[in-house]
Amino acid sequence: MFRYNQPEALTSLDPAFSRNQANIWAVTQLYNGLVDLDDSLRPAPALARRYQISPDGKTYTFVLRPGVHFHDSEVFPGGKGREVKARDVVYSFRRILDKPTASPGGWIFRGKIIEKPDGEPSDTAFVAPNDSTVRIHLKEPFIPFLGILTMPYAYVVPREAVERYGKDFREHPVGTGPFIFKRWDDGSAIVYHRNPHYWRRDAKGKPLPYLDAVQISFIADRKSEFLTFQQGKLDFLSGIRAGSRDLILYPNGQVREDFAGKFRFEKVPYLNTEYLGIQLDPTNLRGAANQPALRDRRVRQALNYALNKPELLAYFLNNVGVPGASGFVPSSLPSYSEKEVPGYSYQPARARQLLREAGYGPGKPLTLTLTTVAERKEVCEYLQKKWTEVGIQVGIDVNQSAAQQEVVDNGRVAFFTKSWLGDYPDAENYLALFYSPNFSPAGPNKTHYKNAEYDKLYEQAKLERDDHRRWALYQAMDRLVVRDVPVIPLYYDQVVRLTQNNVHGLTPNPMNQLVLERVWKD
């Protein structure tokens, strides 16, 4: 049995609600999609044995793998899982767009597939011409679309189970994945058993998965979680909080001697950029929130030059992360290039010079307010100190997480802390934050950055099929973000994973997925 802990709330085993890591990890063991990500984060066949994209980039055709069955369940005649058909894929995709489902994942198709005038999916958006073929029709080409189809929102579910259980499908999952749901004791544990009819085999032809069972526990306290891991009662931990981080790691990121060899320690890239955002549109900013100085590009550049990002990572994160020395796209994506997209290094003298050019100095000090949440307060106090050193006085306003989200989304704060965790492994998912049609609250452009040259490059990149030419467009866009400073990237995140020495085959990736079908234990 493989045992892992889920300290954050796990709310549903229905892929239509796989919006957070807790739900994503849990459903990944139970379901499959048409495609999944290979070791290099490229889409690869899964339930589809092959696929084809039309020359105009608007029609995706998938041919299903024969002989794949849903898990045995009471929802099927005789309790035997039936074969997956193309109509199941069409049903699953339409379901996450149906209003009664209320899935937060509808965005993966909305605005991309052919739609009726009212925004509902066209009858020809998802088509099953026969039992083994699925066609998806897009309104215009969208190169990252295959990557989107690897997300758990696009996992395939059987209509019979959804109709039998209704809202309770969340705790009666039926999929095609390597493990079968056994029980959910609220607040205690979830248990899965091996799927004896799983369709995948390893390179030697041996059936997967290797494990007999998976157990998910719910220890909320991080110190208790780490102690349980130390006692060998958990096989794996992902992410360590400040207290445990100092216990395990030196400030330089190396493992302390007390723990060396006791478990496997991995520090791997994570598709997350931690940043400061600057609202460039004064429409919703009132009174003290206005902070007009921030709309001077020289001020934004000065704020960036004043920060010692390597020092920040060493002091507060034991060097778990990569300093934000380039643009917004994180270092774990293939289009990232510090050479092609040089960012801001620590240059306090340059910061002071830019402030003087903008009209600020001892006679006219610059005063700002940074809005954040409690868990980032300590880091903000460090930033505050570095800005003071160049003559910028920055107050810190601490909000509850929900309140912070609301004021940022609605453009009511001028200067704020945020992070962006990638939904799929393509830089487009990051650069969409600066495309002007994506203004929040409806879209992800929270800074209301608007640049015609940027928009043109974004529209070009969406259509460019050649990876290297597309990456060059991404880099050109990221250079504009660096120049105009709607955001200040602090660091590109990494995730720490601790694994017991007797666990094998658990490979990390920048999406921080937990894939257990090839894991085994001594």
Side-chain angles (χ1 to χ4, degrees):
M1 179 181 276
F2 183 90
R3 300 153 302 171
Y4 79 90
N5 185 54
Q6 191 52 71
E8 286 88 24
L10 199 166
T11 58
S12 179
L13 299 177
D14 179 346
F17 297 91
S18 52
R19 70 180 304 167
N20 58 20
Q21 187 189 79
N23 292 8
I24 289 169
W25 280 8
V27 302
T28 297
Q29 320 315 324
L30 300 170
Y31 296 92
N32 302 107
L34 291 172
V35 285
D36 58 18
L37 293 173
D38 66 15
D39 291 341
S40 58
L41 291 187
R42 290 179 175 275
L47 292 182
R49 60 177 170 170
R50 65 175 187 270
Y51 56 82
Q52 188 175 19
I53 305 169
S54 63
D56 66 2
K58 295 197 284 191
T59 301
Y60 286 66
T61 302
F62 299 87
V63 177
L64 296 189
R65 198 178 294 275
V68 176
H69 287 73
F70 287 112
H71 299 156
D72 290 348
S73 166
E74 62 179 2
V75 305
F76 302 118
K80 292 290 290 178
R82 65 163 175 81
E83 191 171 7
V84 177
K85 305 290 187 187
R87 64 177 178 272
D88 296 310
V89 180
V90 172
Y91 168 76
S92 301
F93 291 176
R94 285 191 169 278
R95 176 176 175 253
I96 67 163
L97 288 167
D98 283 347
K99 286 192 174 75
T101 307
S103 167
W107 66 268
I108 70 171
F109 295 127
R110 222 168 269 127
K112 301 175 183 74
I113 57 168
I114 297 175
E115 294 172 329
K116 298 174 184 174
D118 62 0
E120 291 297 304
S122 161
D123 295 339
T124 55
F126 308 114
V127 182
N130 56 51
D131 282 349
S132 61
T133 307
V134 178
R135 287 205 182 93
I136 304 173
H137 295 282
L138 306 187
K139 60 170 81 171
E140 61 180 29
F142 186 69
I143 296 302
F145 188 66
L146 267 183
I148 282 180
L149 290 181
T150 68
M151 295 178 66
Y153 286 132
Y155 286 165
V156 177
V157 302
R159 181 194 291 266
E160 296 96 322
V162 176
E163 290 181 348
R164 165 76 67 91
Y165 299 120
K167 297 286 185 191
D168 291 335
F169 181 58
R170 65 178 282 278
E171 54 192 40
H172 292 89
V174 181
T176 56
F179 297 95
I180 298 172
F181 174 77
K182 201 68 185 169
R183 70 173 188 274
W184 185 345
D185 303 325
D186 265 351
S188 173
I190 288 176
V191 175
Y192 301 155
H193 285 186
R194 180 178 183 274
N195 176 5
H197 310 300
Y198 189 46
W199 55 273
R200 249 191 188 131
R201 293 176 176 264
D202 67 13
K204 294 178 180 174
K206 187 177 177 183
L208 295 173
Y210 304 127
L211 294 165
D212 295 311
V214 175
Q215 177 179 290
I216 309 168
S217 57
F218 300 105
I219 304 165
D221 179 70
R222 285 287 190 168
K223 285 182 181 169
S224 301
E225 178 192 52
F226 181 59
L227 184 62
T228 307
F229 175 79
Q230 278 186 287
Q231 292 167 343
K233 295 175 185 174
L234 290 173
D235 293 303
F236 161 81
L237 276 189
S238 173
I240 47 176
R241 293 292 183 263
S244 302
R245 193 163 50 228
D246 290 334
L247 185 68
I248 298 168
L249 300 178
Y250 287 114
N252 67 0
Q254 297 300 307
V255 179
R256 293 182 183 272
E257 285 87 350
D258 296 359
F259 294 102
K262 291 190 176 175
F263 46 76
R264 277 205 307 285
F265 169 86
E266 293 172 295
K267 187 171 70 169
V268 294
Y270 190 24
L271 281 180
N272 182 47
T273 297
E274 293 285 333
Y275 70 97
L276 308 177
I278 298 158
Q279 177 55 253
L280 302 177
D281 177 4
T283 307
N284 296 312
L285 298 171
R286 302 278 180 269
N290 195 357
Q291 305 194 69
L294 287 168
R295 287 186 287 284
D296 186 323
R297 185 164 70 189
R298 294 167 299 188
V299 169
R300 301 195 298 272
Q301 291 174 337
L303 286 163
N304 212 337
Y305 278 124
L307 300 181
N308 188 334
K309 297 168 189 177
E311 185 179 79
L312 165 70
L313 276 169
Y315 279 5
F316 294 100
L317 294 159
N318 302 73
N319 275 311
V320 177
V322 176
S326 181
F328 192 68
V329 173
S331 57
S332 45
L333 284 174
S335 63
Y336 174 89
S337 170
E338 213 172 305
K339 177 173 171 285
E340 295 297 331
V341 189
Y344 292 78
S345 55
Y346 178 48
Q347 296 185 47
R350 179 80 179 113
R352 292 187 192 96
Q353 179 193 344
L354 283 162
L355 288 169
R356 283 195 299 273
E357 289 173 11
Y360 298 98
K364 187 188 174 186
L366 174 58
T367 305
L368 301 169
T369 301
L370 176 66
T371 308
T372 190
V373 289
E375 56 266 33
R376 292 196 179 94
K377 185 170 182 279
E378 199 177 3
V379 165
C380 290
E381 286 168 347
Y382 168 82
L383 303 178
Q384 183 185 48
K385 176 176 173 288
K386 301 311 288 183
W387 286 323
T388 302
E389 289 171 7
V390 299
I392 307 171
Q393 303 301 316
V394 179
I396 299 170
D397 185 18
V398 179
N399 275 326
Q400 295 289 332
S401 292
Q404 173 82 348
Q405 184 82 36
E406 196 271 330
V407 293
V408 169
D409 284 351
N410 290 289
R412 291 207 293 272
V413 284
F415 195 23
F416 52 87
T417 62
K418 278 298 284 180
S419 59
W420 184 260
L421 178 58
D423 297 300
Y424 46 91
D426 191 289
E428 181 275 336
N429 190 233
Y430 289 81
L431 298 167
L433 270 73
F434 309 102
Y435 183 49
S436 66
N438 286 346
F439 276 9
S440 63
N445 185 343
K446 298 180 192 306
T447 62
H448 287 205
Y449 176 71
K450 188 170 186 174
N451 179 312
E453 184 186 355
Y454 186 96
D455 289 350
K456 189 178 173 186
L457 289 166
Y458 181 86
E459 283 154 14
Q460 270 181 270
K462 274 204 308 185
L463 307 179
E464 179 54 67
R465 291 192 175 193
D466 179 86
D467 283 349
H468 292 281
R469 284 201 292 267
R470 191 167 73 258
W471 295 345
L473 292 167
Y474 287 162
Q475 289 159 1
M477 292 152 69
D478 220 357
R479 283 194 292 272
L480 291 173
V481 172
V482 169
R483 184 195 72 187
D484 294 340
V485 205
V487 292
I488 297 172
L490 295 176
Y491 60 92
Y492 315 114
D493 212 354
Q494 292 177 317
V495 66
V496 165
R497 293 168 70 129
L498 310 180
T499 312
Q500 300 291 2
N501 289 325
N502 69 331
V503 174
H504 308 279
L506 189 62
T507 53
N509 63 56
M511 294 293 290
N512 197 24
Q513 293 171 318
L514 185 65
V515 180
L516 298 178
E517 65 181 43
R518 296 175 190 272
V519 171
W520 76 96
K521 293 171 69 173
D522 291 340

